[in-house]
Structures are given as C-alpha cells and as structure tokens.
Amino acid sequence: SSDGDSVHVSVGYYQENLDINGKAITLVGDGLEETGIVGDGTAPVILINDPVAGTVKIKGFNISGGMGLMGGQPDAPESSVGGGIFAFYNNVHLEDLRIHSNTAHTGGGAFIYSSDQSQEILFMDNVEFDGNTALDNAGASALAWQISDQTLYVTNCVFQGQTSTDPYEAQVTAAIFGGNASLVMDSTIFNSNMGHLELYGGGTESSFTIKNTTLQGGSAAADGGAIKMYGTYVADIDSCIFNGNGSTMSGGGIALFGDGDVTISESEFDVHTANKGGAIYVEDASLTLTNVDITNSASIDGGYGGGGLLVSDSETILSNVTFEGNSANSGPGGGLYLEGSETQCEVINCSFLNNFSASDGSAINSAGAGLTIEGSSFLDNVTEGGGAIASVVTGFTMTNTLMH
C-alpha cells in the first residue's frame, strides 16, 4: 500500500501483530463485531512507529490480545506502552473500534504520542475501551494520548472495566496531556473503572471541554475518583453526571489543582466518597459552579472535612448550587469546607439541606477564608458542634438568607 490508500479488511478474526510501516493509510474493517485483529500477547496489535507523512485512520475493528512495546516511551525504557495500539510521533484517527483485553505498563488499550509537526484536528469517535490493564498502578490502563498545539475530539466513546495489576491501587484509566493541548469530549461514558480520567495542561493555552458525559462507579487510589486536572488550563464541564465515584485521597468526583480556571454547570454529583472533599476538591485553582447538585457525598471516617466540596486557597463562585445529604464524618463542613487565606468564596442563591458534620459547621465551615452568602437557604443541617455555619478568624457576610 501507499500513502493515501484505503485498505479494506474482510469479515473475520486475524491473529497477527500489524505494523503500518510508515504509511499514511486508512485501515477499514467490516465492523467491530465482525472483524478483529488479535495479538499474540508479545507486542502491540497495531504498531505505528515509523514516521508517517500524514495521518493513519483506523476504523471498524475489534482489537485485543496486545502487549505494550517495551521501551516505546524513550524516557521510560523499562516500561511497556500501547498494548492495543502504539503510535509514536504520528497522528491517528480512531473510529468504530472496540479495544479490549490488552496490557501495558501504561496505555494498555492505546498509547498515542501525536506529532506536533502539523496542527491538524484529531478525532476519536465511537470507540469502546474495556477490560484493559495497566501493569503499573500509576499507568493509564485504557488510553494515554499526548497532544501539543492540537485539538482532540472524543465523541460517543465508552471506557468500562479498566484495571491495573493491583486493582485497589489503580490510579489512571485515561490520560490526555500536553503543551497547549485542547480536548473536546462529548457524549462519552466512564463506567466502573479502577482509575480516573487525568488531564494535564502544559504551556499557557491548554483547554478541556467535557459535556453530556457520564462518569460513574469509578475509583482511584489518587486524587480525583473520576477526574483529575492539573497544570495550566481552562476547563468547562457542562451537563455531566458524576455518580458513585470514590478516591482514597481528595475529591471523590473531581480534583482540581494548579493554575486552572474551571466552570462546572448544569451537572450533578451524587454518592461520592473521599478522604477530603467528598465530591469535589479544588486547590490553588479557580472554580465556578452554576446550577449544580452535590448530594449524598462524604469525607470518610478518619478523613478530613468537606463532605460535598472542599476549597483550599482558591477563588470560588457558587450560584444555584444544592448541597443535600452530605457528611463530613470526621471533620468540619458537611456541605462546604473553606480553608486557606487565599480562598474567596461567593455563595449565591444556594441551598444547604440535611448536611452533617462531626465538628463545626454542618453546612459550611470557613477557616480563615473570605465568605459571602446571598439569597441562600439553610434547612435541617446537623452537627456535633458549631451550628450550620462556622467561621473562624475572618468572619463572613450574609444577606437575604433563610435559616431554619
């Protein structure tokens, strides 16, 4: 085949490890239910290692049985990467694929290091990752994709049942990262994964947009049960559902760090657990929540505060947010805990209902932070001490607010 060719693969399952050999081709199967490439367990199922003058497009396959390429990532020569698909310094489009039962230290399903020689838009549409494994607990079990000065569109994808060698120590399901990286994710599902979606923004212009996406039943032995963001970035999360995720550290649903400016709107967080910040944890970043429900979440026994949301040295605006049924089981701030002299928080038209804390501030605890409350309501919040709102050092301002 030559650059620009389309190669059609007929119905059937083929046991082989396929090397693209530097060709910018479109590889098309007869559908992910009918056409499969099964690796021999010693190498990536599809290898895109030689430089490609263009883009490799892969569509319509079931890809399984791969083992990552040892030393495929130059700065980690002792690790294997890309069990199902390995692409190094090449651009890839993925469509209508099932990538499952592959293994690597990181990128068990796929490891893609894109080429920044062209700023073309990258696509991954209708791709299912399931049952892939990371040999390194800190490695990405399903997907590791590096992009720089490029935009990656992820649509209609599913990540389900990923794990690591020690499932209870798994940290990452999918990692998308790079300098001035742009991610647009829409209508995607994360279900019952051991590990979170990790997003890192390098450079000065990274952005992450996530909408119409469900993240449920996930757990991570790291910050952020469903999502972790860090670096320098702008993020917009809209119309998303977070349900039943957990972290052994901070942010059962989502953990935000670094120089980030994050907006979450029209979304819900239900039944999350973490050591601190049961549903959401934000540190040294900026967060705006609009029309968000944070319910039935908890910082665990023996943990810290902020059953619903913990804010540390960050600017936060909460507008039309409902905190209901959250618990800080061993600390302050059943609904919301604010800490750090750099924290400024505006609470506007919010509701705090039936929250609990083991110490001061069943609804809100503000420890040295700036706090303003306007047009909000507090009902049936319970604490073992300190009332619905507790504020130390700085006090707070409250207007047009109902407390019952």
Side-chain angles (χ1 to χ4, degrees), residues 71-152:
Q73 188 174 11
D75 58 356
E78 73 289 350
S79 296
S80 60
V81 292
I85 298 173
F86 173 83
F88 186 73
Y89 214 61
N90 285 307
N91 292 327
V92 180
H93 292 175
L94 306 178
E95 185 177 356
D96 298 339
L97 303 174
R98 182 185 177 205
I99 302 173
H100 69 98
S101 306
N102 302 286
T103 302
H105 283 88
T106 192
F111 179 92
I112 301 169
Y113 196 108
S114 294
S115 170
D116 59 4
Q117 294 300 305
S118 68
Q119 294 187 6
E120 76 171 276
I121 295 173
L122 305 172
F123 296 93
M124 183 168 71
D125 180 58
N126 192 33
V127 176
E128 178 181 348
F129 293 85
D130 67 278
N132 299 288
T133 301
L135 297 175
D136 184 342
N137 290 327
S141 52
L143 173 68
W145 198 324
Q146 189 271 353
I147 53 177
S148 292
D149 297 303
Q150 294 168 306
T151 298
L152 169 63

Side-chain angles (χ1 to χ4, degrees), residues 33-74:
E33 299 296 335
E34 292 83 18
T35 312
I37 306 174
V38 182
D40 63 5
T42 66
V45 180
I46 299 178
L47 182 69
I48 313 170
N49 202 15
D50 296 327
V52 174
T55 300
V56 176
K57 301 177 182 179
I58 305 171
K59 178 178 180 179
F61 288 96
N62 186 308
I63 298 170
S64 65
M67 172 61 71
L69 179 67
M70 188 65 70
Q73 188 174 11

Side-chain angles (χ1 to χ4, degrees), residues 128-204:
E128 178 181 348
F129 293 85
D130 67 278
N132 299 288
T133 301
L135 297 175
D136 184 342
N137 290 327
S141 52
L143 173 68
W145 198 324
Q146 189 271 353
I147 53 177
S148 292
D149 297 303
Q150 294 168 306
T151 298
L152 169 63
Y153 284 86
V154 176
T155 55
N156 303 306
C157 292
V158 176
F159 295 80
Q160 180 167 287
Q162 323 298 329
T163 188
S164 72
T165 304
D166 183 349
Y168 296 102
E169 295 298 325
Q171 298 180 27
V172 185
T173 287
I176 298 172
F177 54 96
N180 300 324
S182 177
L183 169 69
V184 179
M185 180 177 288
D186 192 3
S187 302
T188 290
I189 296 172
F190 289 79
N191 182 45
S192 300
N193 297 294
M194 307 298 281
H196 56 215
L197 169 62
E198 183 169 293
L199 303 176
Y200 169 74
T204 59

Side-chain angles (χ1 to χ4, degrees), residues 1 6 115 120 154 208-209 219 276 302 320 323 331 377-378 388 394 401:
S1 61
S6 182
S115 170
E120 76 171 276
V154 176
F208 308 123
T209 299
S219 63
K276 55 183 178 180
N320 294 305
F323 293 84
S377 62
F378 296 77
T394 56
T401 291

Side-chain angles (χ1 to χ4, degrees), residues 45-394:
V45 180
I46 299 178
L47 182 69
I48 313 170
N49 202 15
D50 296 327
V52 174
T55 300
V56 176
K57 301 177 182 179
I58 305 171
K59 178 178 180 179
F61 288 96
N62 186 308
I63 298 170
S64 65
M67 172 61 71
L69 179 67
M70 188 65 70
Q73 188 174 11
D75 58 356
E78 73 289 350
S79 296
S80 60
V81 292
I85 298 173
F86 173 83
F88 186 73
Y89 214 61
N90 285 307
N91 292 327
V92 180
H93 292 175
L94 306 178
E95 185 177 356
D96 298 339
L97 303 174
R98 182 185 177 205
I99 302 173
H100 69 98
S101 306
N102 302 286
T103 302
H105 283 88
T106 192
F111 179 92
I112 301 169
Y113 196 108
S114 294
S115 170
D116 59 4
Q117 294 300 305
S118 68
Q119 294 187 6
E120 76 171 276
I121 295 173
L122 305 172
F123 296 93
M124 183 168 71
D125 180 58
N126 192 33
V127 176
E128 178 181 348
F129 293 85
D130 67 278
N132 299 288
T133 301
L135 297 175
D136 184 342
N137 290 327
S141 52
L143 173 68
W145 198 324
Q146 189 271 353
I147 53 177
S148 292
D149 297 303
Q150 294 168 306
T151 298
L152 169 63
Y153 284 86
V154 176
T155 55
N156 303 306
C157 292
V158 176
F159 295 80
Q160 180 167 287
Q162 323 298 329
T163 188
S164 72
T165 304
D166 183 349
Y168 296 102
E169 295 298 325
Q171 298 180 27
V172 185
T173 287
I176 298 172
F177 54 96
N180 300 324
S182 177
L183 169 69
V184 179
M185 180 177 288
D186 192 3
S187 302
T188 290
I189 296 172
F190 289 79
N191 182 45
S192 300
N193 297 294
M194 307 298 281
H196 56 215
L197 169 62
E198 183 169 293
L199 303 176
Y200 169 74
T204 59
E205 298 181 0
S206 291
S207 64
F208 308 123
T209 299
I210 304 174
K211 55 185 179 180
N212 305 313
T213 290
T214 297
L215 305 100
Q216 61 189 15
S219 63
D223 297 308
I227 297 178
K228 176 184 177 181
M229 296 185 186
Y230 62 112
T232 301
Y233 57 96
V234 174
D236 183 12
I237 299 174
D238 179 65
S239 302
C240 292
I241 296 173
F242 294 76
N243 181 261
N245 303 291
S247 164
T248 60
M249 298 177 67
S250 60
I254 185 168
L256 308 170
F257 298 92
D259 186 13
D261 186 354
V262 182
T263 299
I264 305 176
S265 56
E266 308 297 337
S267 298
E268 60 184 68
F269 294 77
D270 188 37
V271 192
H272 290 84
T273 58
N275 185 268
K276 55 183 178 180
I280 302 173
Y281 178 86
V282 54
E283 180 179 320
D284 298 326
S286 174
L287 174 65
T288 299
L289 301 182
T290 303
N291 297 328
V292 171
D293 293 337
I294 300 174
T295 57
N296 304 312
S297 296
S299 56
I300 60 175
D301 290 339
Y304 199 50
L309 166 63
L310 193 153
V311 179
S312 179
D313 286 317
S314 302
E315 294 186 2
T316 307
I317 299 174
L318 311 178
S319 178
N320 294 305
V321 178
T322 297
F323 293 84
E324 183 172 2
N326 303 292
S327 302
N329 289 319
S330 294
L336 169 63
Y337 181 59
L338 309 171
E339 66 175 8
S341 60
E342 298 299 315
T343 292
Q344 297 291 324
C345 182
E346 296 182 45
V347 177
I348 305 166
N349 298 327
C350 294
S351 299
F352 293 80
L353 310 170
N354 299 307
N355 299 288
F356 167 82
S357 65
S359 59
D360 295 349
S362 55
I364 301 176
N365 184 292
S366 176
L371 171 62
T372 301
I373 303 170
E374 180 181 351
S376 298
S377 62
F378 296 77
L379 178 66
D380 293 336
N381 298 287
V382 178
T383 179
E384 294 180 3
I389 304 172
S391 180
V392 298
V393 182
T394 56

